[in-house]
């Protein structure tokens, strides 16, 4: 359920992502302006990104539904 919520969030924000059968999702943050990790940390969400596939990709591990709701809300604020 949390993964489907994240997929929907990425689609609404037009962020490329890689569907996964694991407990994490990779999504591309190239379109997001500013200091992505700093902006997320300011919202108490700690993430990192790596250079993969010729761009910047973030790996998000699945948490509880409530945690992923907080993640998606923060991502929407930053990426919109």
């Amino acid at each position: 359920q949390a993964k489907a919520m994240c997929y929907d969030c990425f689609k609404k924000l037009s962020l490329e992502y890689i569907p996964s059968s694991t407990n994490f999702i990779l999504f591309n943050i190239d379109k997001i302006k500013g200091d992505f990790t700093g902006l997320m940390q300011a919202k108490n969400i700690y993430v990192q990104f790596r250079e993969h596939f010729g761009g910047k990709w973030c790996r998000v591990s699945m948490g509880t539904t409530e945690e992923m709701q907080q993640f998606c809300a923060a991502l929407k604020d930053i990426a919109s």
Side-chain angles (χ1 to χ4, degrees):
Q1 187 177 20
K3 212 181 276 189
M5 179 188 345
C6 288
Y7 291 161
D8 186 53
C9 179
F10 299 144
K11 286 176 191 172
K12 286 180 180 173
L13 296 171
S14 299
L15 298 176
E16 182 182 4
Y17 66 94
I18 300 173
S20 173
S21 297
T22 64
N23 68 336
F24 68 89
I25 305 169
L26 286 175
F27 65 100
N28 187 293
I29 61 170
D30 283 336
K31 293 181 180 179
I32 299 174
K33 305 287 186 227
D35 175 16
F36 176 69
T37 56
L39 293 167
M40 290 295 275
Q41 284 178 11
K43 297 180 177 294
N44 239 5
I45 298 174
Y46 295 85
V47 294
Q48 298 178 1
F49 69 87
R50 300 280 187 267
E51 297 283 337
H52 295 294
F53 317 112
K56 294 179 183 175
W57 290 77
C58 181
R59 173 184 159 154
V60 62
S61 296
M62 294 297 100
T64 64
T65 302
E66 293 79 21
E67 290 168 337
M68 300 318 295
Q69 286 171 333
Q70 291 173 349
F71 167 80
C72 288
L75 184 61
K76 286 176 187 175
D77 283 347
I78 290 167
S80 296

